[in-house]
Tab-separated table of all heavy atoms in Angstrom:
chain	number	residue	atom	x	y	z
I	154	ALA	N	87.078	-31.038	114.615
I	154	ALA	CA	86.377	-31.018	115.895
I	154	ALA	C	85.100	-30.187	115.806
I	154	ALA	O	84.038	-30.597	116.305
I	154	ALA	CB	87.297	-30.459	116.983
I	155	LEU	N	85.184	-29.021	115.162
I	155	LEU	CA	84.005	-28.160	115.025
I	155	LEU	C	82.945	-28.808	114.135
I	155	LEU	O	81.741	-28.703	114.411
I	155	LEU	CB	84.401	-26.798	114.462
I	155	LEU	CG	84.623	-25.685	115.507
I	155	LEU	CD1	85.771	-26.054	116.440
I	155	LEU	CD2	84.915	-24.356	114.818
I	156	ILE	N	83.377	-29.471	113.085
I	156	ILE	CA	82.430	-30.125	112.179
I	156	ILE	C	81.680	-31.241	112.898
I	156	ILE	O	80.444	-31.341	112.831
I	156	ILE	CB	83.166	-30.682	110.945
I	156	ILE	CG1	83.690	-29.529	110.080
I	156	ILE	CG2	82.247	-31.583	110.126
I	156	ILE	CD1	84.633	-29.968	108.977
I	157	VAL	N	82.421	-32.087	113.609
I	157	VAL	CA	81.808	-33.230	114.303
I	157	VAL	C	80.847	-32.756	115.388
I	157	VAL	O	79.703	-33.237	115.480
I	157	VAL	CB	82.901	-34.142	114.899
I	157	VAL	CG1	82.269	-35.205	115.799
I	157	VAL	CG2	83.705	-34.801	113.789
I	158	THR	N	81.284	-31.811	116.215
I	158	THR	CA	80.430	-31.360	117.327
I	158	THR	C	79.204	-30.593	116.829
I	158	THR	O	78.127	-30.690	117.438
I	158	THR	CB	81.227	-30.482	118.299
I	158	THR	OG1	81.873	-29.408	117.584
I	158	THR	CG2	82.290	-31.289	119.014
I	159	SER	N	79.341	-29.862	115.725
I	159	SER	CA	78.183	-29.138	115.199
I	159	SER	C	77.148	-30.105	114.630
I	159	SER	O	75.939	-29.909	114.810
I	159	SER	CB	78.618	-28.133	114.127
I	159	SER	OG	79.222	-28.791	113.028
I	160	ILE	N	77.611	-31.155	113.966
I	160	ILE	CA	76.678	-32.162	113.437
I	160	ILE	C	75.984	-32.898	114.580
I	160	ILE	O	74.761	-33.143	114.544
I	160	ILE	CB	77.407	-33.151	112.518
I	160	ILE	CG1	77.884	-32.425	111.241
I	160	ILE	CG2	76.505	-34.323	112.139
I	160	ILE	CD1	78.718	-33.284	110.317
I	161	LEU	N	76.752	-33.242	115.606
I	161	LEU	CA	76.147	-33.878	116.775
I	161	LEU	C	75.105	-32.967	117.404
I	161	LEU	O	74.027	-33.419	117.819
I	161	LEU	CB	77.235	-34.221	117.800
I	161	LEU	CG	78.160	-35.385	117.465
I	161	LEU	CD1	79.239	-35.518	118.538
I	161	LEU	CD2	77.378	-36.682	117.327
I	162	GLY	N	75.412	-31.681	117.483
I	162	GLY	CA	74.481	-30.720	118.058
I	162	GLY	C	73.176	-30.632	117.295
I	162	GLY	O	72.108	-30.428	117.891
I	163	MET	N	73.253	-30.800	115.977
I	163	MET	CA	72.040	-30.750	115.165
I	163	MET	C	71.093	-31.908	115.464
I	163	MET	O	69.877	-31.783	115.322
I	163	MET	CB	72.408	-30.764	113.678
I	163	MET	CG	73.113	-29.513	113.196
I	163	MET	SD	73.554	-29.614	111.437
I	163	MET	CE	74.466	-28.093	111.216
I	164	TYR	N	71.662	-33.053	115.862
I	164	TYR	CA	70.846	-34.237	116.110
I	164	TYR	C	70.383	-34.347	117.564
I	164	TYR	O	69.586	-35.232	117.886
I	164	TYR	CB	71.622	-35.503	115.728
I	164	TYR	CG	71.661	-35.753	114.245
I	164	TYR	CD1	72.727	-35.319	113.474
I	164	TYR	CD2	70.603	-36.399	113.599
I	164	TYR	CE1	72.774	-35.535	112.112
I	164	TYR	CE2	70.626	-36.624	112.232
I	164	TYR	CZ	71.714	-36.187	111.495
I	164	TYR	OH	71.745	-36.395	110.137
I	165	MET	N	70.896	-33.457	118.413
I	165	MET	CA	70.487	-33.471	119.811
I	165	MET	C	69.212	-32.669	120.003
I	165	MET	O	68.807	-31.889	119.139
I	165	MET	CB	71.616	-32.898	120.683
I	165	MET	CG	72.882	-33.733	120.683
I	165	MET	SD	74.280	-32.883	121.489
I	165	MET	CE	73.658	-32.742	123.166
I	166	ALA	N	68.557	-32.873	121.144
I	166	ALA	CA	67.367	-32.087	121.461
I	166	ALA	C	67.756	-30.628	121.622
I	166	ALA	O	68.842	-30.308	122.115
I	166	ALA	CB	66.733	-32.609	122.754
I	167	GLN	N	66.879	-29.747	121.175
I	167	GLN	CA	67.158	-28.314	121.239
I	167	GLN	C	66.447	-27.684	122.442
I	167	GLN	O	65.388	-28.168	122.847
I	167	GLN	CB	66.716	-27.644	119.934
I	167	GLN	CG	67.397	-28.168	118.698
I	167	GLN	CD	68.913	-28.049	118.745
I	167	GLN	OE1	69.468	-27.177	119.408
I	167	GLN	NE2	69.582	-28.950	118.049
I	168	PRO	N	67.032	-26.653	123.045
I	168	PRO	CA	68.215	-25.907	122.599
I	168	PRO	C	69.553	-26.460	123.091
I	168	PRO	O	70.595	-25.845	122.884
I	168	PRO	CB	67.974	-24.526	123.192
I	168	PRO	CG	67.284	-24.808	124.487
I	168	PRO	CD	66.400	-26.008	124.224
I	169	VAL	N	69.514	-27.647	123.734
I	169	VAL	CA	70.756	-28.220	124.267
I	169	VAL	C	71.756	-28.485	123.148
I	169	VAL	O	72.959	-28.259	123.304
I	169	VAL	CB	70.448	-29.519	125.039
I	169	VAL	CG1	71.751	-30.188	125.490
I	169	VAL	CG2	69.560	-29.231	126.238
I	170	GLY	N	71.271	-28.959	121.998
I	170	GLY	CA	72.165	-29.259	120.883
I	170	GLY	C	72.899	-28.033	120.384
I	170	GLY	O	74.110	-28.074	120.138
I	171	ASN	N	72.163	-26.939	120.213
I	171	ASN	CA	72.796	-25.696	119.787
I	171	ASN	C	73.827	-25.227	120.807
I	171	ASN	O	74.926	-24.786	120.458
I	171	ASN	CB	71.736	-24.606	119.598
I	171	ASN	CG	71.402	-24.375	118.134
I	171	ASN	OD1	72.195	-24.665	117.249
I	171	ASN	ND2	70.222	-23.856	117.879
I	172	ALA	N	73.460	-25.306	122.070
I	172	ALA	CA	74.371	-24.882	123.131
I	172	ALA	C	75.619	-25.755	123.147
I	172	ALA	O	76.736	-25.259	123.337
I	172	ALA	CB	73.665	-24.941	124.480
I	173	PHE	N	75.447	-27.056	122.922
I	173	PHE	CA	76.588	-27.970	122.877
I	173	PHE	C	77.531	-27.621	121.734
I	173	PHE	O	78.758	-27.549	121.910
I	173	PHE	CB	76.089	-29.411	122.731
I	173	PHE	CG	77.176	-30.399	122.408
I	173	PHE	CD1	78.040	-30.839	123.398
I	173	PHE	CD2	77.331	-30.879	121.115
I	173	PHE	CE1	79.046	-31.758	123.101
I	173	PHE	CE2	78.325	-31.792	120.815
I	173	PHE	CZ	79.188	-32.234	121.808
I	174	ALA	N	76.977	-27.406	120.537
I	174	ALA	CA	77.790	-27.069	119.378
I	174	ALA	C	78.531	-25.746	119.584
I	174	ALA	O	79.708	-25.612	119.242
I	174	ALA	CB	76.917	-26.999	118.121
I	175	ALA	N	77.828	-24.776	120.140
I	175	ALA	CA	78.435	-23.468	120.367
I	175	ALA	C	79.526	-23.539	121.426
I	175	ALA	O	80.595	-22.931	121.290
I	175	ALA	CB	77.365	-22.453	120.791
I	176	LEU	N	79.279	-24.291	122.494
I	176	LEU	CA	80.270	-24.411	123.553
I	176	LEU	C	81.520	-25.140	123.057
I	176	LEU	O	82.645	-24.757	123.391
I	176	LEU	CB	79.672	-25.159	124.745
I	176	LEU	CG	80.585	-25.290	125.977
I	176	LEU	CD1	80.974	-23.909	126.494
I	176	LEU	CD2	79.884	-26.097	127.064
I	177	ALA	N	81.328	-26.177	122.252
I	177	ALA	CA	82.465	-26.898	121.687
I	177	ALA	C	83.284	-25.979	120.779
I	177	ALA	O	84.521	-26.003	120.800
I	177	ALA	CB	81.974	-28.119	120.903
I	178	ALA	N	82.592	-25.165	119.976
I	178	ALA	CA	83.289	-24.214	119.114
I	178	ALA	C	84.056	-23.197	119.944
I	178	ALA	O	85.191	-22.815	119.606
I	178	ALA	CB	82.293	-23.504	118.202
Side-chain angles (χ1 to χ4, degrees):
L155 264 62
I156 292 170
V157 171
T158 53
S159 62
I160 293 175
L161 287 176
M163 292 179 184
Y164 282 95
M165 295 170 64
Q167 300 302 333
V169 175
N171 258 336
F173 169 77
L176 183 60

